[in-house]
Amino acid sequence: MSDPTMAAGGVATEEPADYVTGAEHAEGTKEKTRSLWSDAWHDLSRRPLFVLSMFVIAFLVLVAIFPTWFADANHRLRDLDRARIGPNVPYLAVCMAIIGSAITVVAAILATVGKLRDGVCRTMAPYVAGIGGLILLGGGLVNSVTLYIVIGAVVLACGIVSGVPKVSQMLRGSASTWGLVAVLAVAGIAGLVISFGDLSTVEIGAAFGYDQQGRDIYARVVHGTRYTLLVGFTATLLTVLIGSTVGILAGYFGGWLDNLLSRIGEVFFGLPFVLGAIIILSAFRSAGFDSAPAIVAMVVLSISVLSWPVAMRIMRSAAISAKQQDYVKAARALGASSRRIIFRHMLPNCLAPVLVYATIALGAFIGAEATLSFLGIGLRDPAVSWGVMIADSRNYIRASPLLLIFPASFLTLTVLVFVTIGDAVREALDPKLR
Amino acid sequence: MTANPTESVLTDPTTNGQDGPLLEVEDLFVEFRTRDGVAKVLNGVSYHVDAGETLAVLGESGSGKSVTAQTIMGILDTPPAYVTGGSIRFRGQELLSQSAEKRRQLRGDGIAMIFQDALSALNPVFTVGFQIEEQLRIRKGMSRKEARKRAIELLDLVRIPNAKGRVRQYPHEFSGGMRQRAMIAMSLALDPQLLIADEPTTALDVTVQAQIMDLLAEIKAERQMGLILITHDLGVVAETADRIAVMYAGRIVEHGDAHSVYKAPGHPYTTGLLNSLPRLDLKGQTLETIKGLPPSLLNIPSGCPFHPRCPKAQSICSAEVPVNHDLGNGRYSKCHFAEEVVRNG
């Protein structure tokens, strides 16, 4: 504003703006601007459950991309001699202790940072400590190692004590928080030292045991992550893409186009999901899609084809309400084209509800993939997923339930994490809930 | 009620060298086809605006002021709205028969519009700067940098302090008056020759109202722009308008230069409107009102649409639709007793 030539029409820029209140003036240039999205992100990054879930997902994605970093055993190697051999309990216990201790150390670091600088670290520390404690405790319990149980219980207690609002308020600012941090740090480091020491005493490998065909279950769980997440992500992406494109067109143009698209959507909406998927998948199964990518593509397509009307309805209703807003009228009054109005002006305003649906749907689609695989029409060899593993173990549920429990618990965890994120996103983007 | 040569104000030579008004609306008919029936929203509206002139369109809610403006802009939603007759000429060109694409090119460039509620008329997900720059980049082919520079100039022009910092802010970070100013800057970006301000000050408090009106008047004078000011605020009109058109039930019931309409209204409705203004010299008395409600547009009364509420109504009023009575000096009134009303108030 210092350049006087910039003042068009001879209006002096330096002229004290007599119209403006002091408050308006006081706001400096450096003040950060905040949009809806940056507000939402600001809100989300302060929710410990959301941050925690994001870390779990980041880890799962890492596993999905580089499974060999996490499991060096060949997940395809079949050896019927070792069929349905149970988990390598001592090794499993040590591994859990190591992981639990490492997480405890992280909790101690978070608590220290949170103590010095207020922020998400402080609220997250109790959760992280609790998780670390639970894993340590679990590791102790599976193999009855007293030391792990004791350390785990101590860590868990620290987490609970610091996580209960009343207690943590009592402790805040006093020396006892540093005491808690110290307990966590000592417990974590002690756990690490002890469990690494124990590592040399146990036989390494096959932590989860072998399945009915003698394949390493742990390796299969790790390698199954890739297909499980791949199906979840691509199915969500495709569903949202089809649904929101159709929805925004129907909402913006209205009239006969809206009627036509809505009726088409209802036809797909009316098909029961499982029945529809069985029909589609069994029809194409005989068409000879046998490579892993082709099988994945078929499953993804059948999920998206049956789910897009939900995304479409959400987008359509958002578009109808956005269309009546004055800013769309204003954009038209200033000569913007339909395409520009739809994609530039309406889409960002309609995205929030669809995004919320997408995050929740992601969890649901991972579950749907497992359902389809369990029914024997979803993924199958050579593609391995948690759903496939659950399906394979259905005949042995009573004889060796662990075949089912390992993949099922990973599936549950993943779905839970995505649903948690969906919930957090919904709360951050929907001002009515505040 | 076509253009009257005696009343045309200085025609600006820069507009296009053509004689005649900048915008001419003639006998415009618009109806809304709703589930309950056909609402006749505009029933033969005619007015014109010259370059560098302010026309105030007055009337109650639902009298068709905004619909006329939106018809001129071509942003009415069809359905339910249908233009069933009349013509709109901008610089002598007929708009209603033009292709949608040609009309779109004219918006912003030729005719721009300011909306009543600036908060909802600004897109909440984009910065104010972006919304101004967008038009400049697309319609004028400016680079990002040039457009940013021009946006800052425009915000300066509408007296937004610290324009350089403000361009990066979102509409919700602006106060009500500043939003309206940003809205004005946005509509001025493409240098329109005609600006339609649809109740630009209704959502603002009185002091800010005055500032916005001053700003509009100043910019109008500077750019020799035509300005259509739609309002129901008679105070605003008195200060800024050159001419006034009073609307009732989708018709212009009275038209004339601001001064003489205020001095001696030619239609009982205008008299009623003026009488319902609070006045300092009549302190302590009950405020006069116009009895009754505006007519339902689904079922407009026969004859003069104002007759059920008119204190001067006679039998002829419910039987015959009044035509324009020429009151001289470019003044018209659609009242059977126009001359008498002017004389006796």
Coordinates of all heavy atoms in Angstrom, one line a residue, chain A residues 230-231 234 238 281 289 291-303 379:
Chain A
L230 N -5.3 -51.7 -0.1 CA -5.5 -51.3 -1.5 C -6.9 -51.3 -1.9 O -7.4 -50.4 -2.5 CB -4.7 -52.3 -2.4 CG -4.5 -51.9 -3.9 CD1 -3.7 -50.7 -4.0 CD2 -3.9 -53.1 -4.7
V231 N -7.6 -52.4 -1.5 CA -9.0 -52.5 -1.8 C -9.8 -51.4 -1.1 O -10.6 -50.7 -1.7 CB -9.6 -53.9 -1.4 CG1 -11.1 -53.9 -1.4 CG2 -9.0 -54.9 -2.3
T234 N -8.8 -47.8 -2.8 CA -9.3 -47.6 -4.2 C -10.8 -47.6 -4.3 O -11.4 -46.9 -5.0 CB -8.7 -48.6 -5.2 OG1 -8.7 -49.9 -4.5 CG2 -7.2 -48.3 -5.5
L238 N -12.9 -44.5 -5.8 CA -13.7 -44.7 -6.9 C -15.2 -44.3 -6.6 O -15.9 -43.6 -7.3 CB -13.7 -46.1 -7.4 CG -14.0 -46.4 -8.8 CD1 -13.1 -45.6 -9.7 CD2 -14.0 -47.9 -9.1
L281 N -19.5 -60.5 -8.9 CA -18.3 -61.2 -8.8 C -18.3 -62.6 -9.4 O -17.4 -63.1 -10.1 CB -17.8 -61.2 -7.4 CG -17.3 -59.9 -6.9 CD1 -17.0 -59.9 -5.4 CD2 -16.0 -59.5 -7.6
F289 N -10.7 -64.0 -14.8 CA -9.7 -63.0 -14.2 C -8.9 -63.6 -13.1 O -9.4 -63.8 -12.0 CB -10.5 -61.8 -13.7 CG -11.2 -60.9 -14.7 CD1 -12.5 -61.1 -15.0 CD2 -10.5 -60.0 -15.4 CE1 -13.1 -60.4 -16.0 CE2 -11.1 -59.2 -16.4 CZ -12.4 -59.4 -16.7
S291 N -5.3 -63.1 -12.5 CA -4.1 -62.5 -11.9 C -4.5 -61.6 -10.7 O -5.7 -61.2 -10.6 CB -3.4 -61.6 -12.9 OG -4.3 -60.5 -13.3
A292 N -3.6 -61.4 -9.8 CA -3.9 -60.6 -8.6 C -4.5 -59.3 -8.9 O -5.6 -58.9 -8.3 CB -2.7 -60.5 -7.7
P293 N -3.9 -58.4 -9.8 CA -4.5 -57.1 -10.0 C -5.9 -57.2 -10.6 O -6.8 -56.4 -10.2 CB -3.6 -56.5 -11.1 CG -2.3 -57.3 -11.0 CD -2.7 -58.6 -10.5
A294 N -6.2 -58.2 -11.4 CA -7.5 -58.3 -12.0 C -8.5 -58.7 -10.9 O -9.6 -58.1 -10.9 CB -7.5 -59.4 -13.1
I295 N -8.1 -59.5 -10.0 CA -9.1 -59.9 -8.9 C -9.4 -58.7 -8.0 O -10.5 -58.4 -7.7 CB -8.4 -61.0 -8.1 CG1 -8.3 -62.3 -8.9 CG2 -9.3 -61.3 -6.9 CD1 -7.5 -63.4 -8.2
V296 N -8.3 -58.0 -7.7 CA -8.5 -56.8 -6.9 C -9.4 -55.8 -7.6 O -10.3 -55.2 -7.0 CB -7.1 -56.1 -6.6 CG1 -7.3 -54.7 -5.9 CG2 -6.3 -57.0 -5.7
A297 N -9.1 -55.6 -8.9 CA -9.9 -54.6 -9.6 C -11.4 -55.0 -9.6 O -12.3 -54.2 -9.5 CB -9.4 -54.5 -11.1
M298 N -11.7 -56.3 -9.8 CA -13.1 -56.8 -9.8 C -13.7 -56.5 -8.5 O -14.9 -56.0 -8.4 CB -13.2 -58.3 -10.1 CG -13.0 -58.6 -11.5 SD -13.8 -57.5 -12.7 CE -15.5 -57.6 -12.1
V299 N -13.0 -56.8 -7.4 CA -13.6 -56.6 -6.0 C -13.9 -55.1 -5.8 O -15.0 -54.7 -5.4 CB -12.7 -57.1 -4.9 CG1 -13.2 -56.7 -3.6 CG2 -12.6 -58.6 -5.0
V300 N -12.9 -54.2 -6.2 CA -13.0 -52.8 -6.0 C -14.2 -52.3 -6.8 O -15.1 -51.5 -6.3 CB -11.7 -52.1 -6.5 CG1 -12.0 -50.6 -6.6 CG2 -10.6 -52.3 -5.4
L301 N -14.3 -52.7 -8.1 CA -15.4 -52.3 -8.9 C -16.7 -52.6 -8.4 O -17.7 -51.8 -8.4 CB -15.2 -52.9 -10.3 CG -14.4 -52.0 -11.3 CD1 -14.2 -52.8 -12.6 CD2 -15.1 -50.7 -11.5
S302 N -16.8 -53.9 -7.9 CA -18.2 -54.3 -7.4 C -18.6 -53.5 -6.2 O -19.7 -53.2 -6.0 CB -18.2 -55.8 -7.2 OG -17.3 -56.2 -6.2
I303 N -17.6 -53.2 -5.3 CA -17.9 -52.4 -4.1 C -18.4 -51.0 -4.5 O -19.4 -50.5 -4.1 CB -16.7 -52.4 -3.1 CG1 -16.4 -53.7 -2.5 CG2 -17.0 -51.3 -2.0 CD1 -15.2 -53.8 -1.6
L379 N -11.4 -61.5 -2.8 CA -10.0 -61.8 -3.1 C -9.7 -63.3 -3.0 O -10.4 -64.0 -2.2 CB -9.1 -61.0 -2.3 CG -9.2 -59.5 -2.4 CD1 -8.1 -58.8 -1.5 CD2 -9.0 -59.0 -3.8

